[in-house]
């Protein structure tokens, strides 16, 4: 899996657009600053006994990396990862997934189509697909939406398929995996990116 720090995120190093957060890798959570501030306010109003209920309600569960990227606010979403095929098994089809979550105060992703792309570097042909990062809130809002939707993982993170590729000979090539939403132009915030996972396709 490629962690968020190993990805190319447009404006990822600009604090007004993206923030790098430390998430719990143990039972002692390290929460974002604004959440800790909310927790202090929560204690002052409800008392310390309710503090741990607050933390459990916010919990992101365990993260495999020391840092994740939290979207502060952007209108141009562009996340890209690369991997060398020599690191993978030959004669194998792989599927790439964006692994993410939302903070509670998220906005701008409801029924918002994004473009997903998986291709070899140097290939002229680009086959993209449509994905959604949020499930529609009601069956009515899902009518007419065509594309892939996210699923919850066992580790309580979400994942959405970006696409697949066949590693033919396992030679030294690069695969690009990308998620983009650059057409709507609406402001989005509250997305937390853990990384991009590449795993062999399970044939059913």
């Amino acid at each position: 899996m490629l962690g968020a720090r190993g990805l190319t995120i447009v404006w990822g190093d600009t604090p007004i657009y993206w923030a790098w957060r430390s998430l719990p890798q143990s039972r002692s959570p390290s929460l974002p600053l604004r959440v800790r501030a909310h927790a202090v306010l929560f204690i002052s109003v409800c008392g310390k006994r309710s503090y741990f209920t607050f933390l459990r309600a916010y919990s992101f569960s365990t993260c495999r990396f020391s840092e994740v990227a939290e979207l502060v606010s952007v209108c141009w979403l562009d996340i890209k990862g690369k991997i060398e095929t020599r690191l993978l098994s030959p004669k194998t089809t792989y599927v790439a997934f964006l692994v993410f979550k939302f903070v509670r105060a998220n906005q701008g992703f409801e029924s918002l189509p994004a473009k997903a792309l998986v291709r070899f570097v140097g290939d002229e042909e680009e086959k993209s697909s449509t994905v959604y990062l949020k499930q529609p809130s009601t069956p009515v809002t899902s009518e007419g939406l065509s594309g892939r939707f996210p699923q919850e993982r066992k580790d309580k993170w979400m994942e959405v398929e970006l696409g697949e590729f066949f590693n033919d000979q396992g030679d030294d090539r690069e695969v690009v995996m990308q998620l983009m939403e650059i057409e709507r132009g609406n402001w989005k915030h509250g997305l937390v990116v853990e990384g991009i996972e590449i795993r062999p396709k399970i044939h059913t």
Side-chain angles (χ1 to χ4, degrees):
M1 180 170 179
L2 302 175
R5 276 293 186 189
L7 306 179
T8 300
I9 301 176
V10 173
W11 298 317
D13 293 325
T14 306
I16 62 173
Y17 298 123
W18 287 88
W20 292 91
R21 309 295 193 193
S22 296
L23 289 188
Q25 292 181 299
S26 65
R27 293 186 178 182
S28 300
S30 175
L31 296 173
L33 179 61
R34 67 185 183 193
V35 178
R36 292 199 299 270
H38 291 167
V40 171
L41 176 61
F42 193 85
I43 290 173
S44 66
V45 174
C46 302
K48 291 185 178 180
R49 289 185 179 181
S50 300
Y51 175 63
F52 296 103
T53 301
F54 173 87
L55 289 182
R56 286 196 297 269
Y58 188 88
S59 176
F60 279 102
S61 75
T62 301
C63 178
R64 281 177 282 183
F65 301 95
S66 60
E67 286 184 303
V68 295
E70 180 181 336
L71 174 57
V72 178
S73 186
V74 296
C75 61
W76 184 300
L77 182 65
D78 192 343
I79 302 169
K80 182 189 299 182
K82 290 184 179 181
I83 190 169
E84 297 178 358
T85 56
R86 62 182 177 85
L87 302 175
L88 306 172
S89 299
K91 301 295 183 181
T92 303
T93 299
Y94 284 90
V95 186
F97 298 86
L98 181 72
V99 182
F100 65 97
K101 276 197 174 185
F102 287 104
V103 300
R104 287 186 174 178
N106 66 84
Q107 186 175 348
F109 292 94
E110 183 72 30
S111 302
L112 181 68
K115 178 181 178 181
L117 179 69
V118 175
R119 65 177 177 86
F120 287 99
V121 172
D123 284 0
E124 295 183 359
E125 184 179 8
E126 292 189 357
K127 293 182 178 179
S128 63
S129 56
T130 299
V131 300
Y132 296 85
L133 296 185
K134 291 191 75 172
Q135 292 280 4
S137 56
T138 65
V140 175
T141 59
S142 66
E143 293 180 3
L145 298 182
S146 177
R148 292 194 289 264
F149 293 91
Q151 301 292 328
E152 186 176 49
R153 298 156 53 99
K154 292 182 180 179
D155 58 7
K156 301 304 180 181
W157 288 79
M158 303 295 293
E159 68 177 19
V160 66
E161 181 184 332
L162 300 178
E164 63 181 56
F165 63 95
F166 180 65
N167 187 25
D168 190 4
Q169 300 297 329
D171 53 1
D172 193 7
R173 302 183 70 186
E174 268 193 323
V175 176
V176 177
M177 302 150 289
Q178 190 169 10
L179 176 85
M180 293 181 291
E181 200 300 292
I182 60 177
E183 297 180 358
R184 186 71 61 89
N186 65 310
W187 287 92
K188 299 167 275 287
H189 64 81
L191 174 70
V192 179
V193 177
E194 184 184 27
I196 293 179
E197 184 170 59
I198 305 101
R199 59 179 186 259
K201 182 176 182 178
I202 299 176
H203 296 279
T204 56

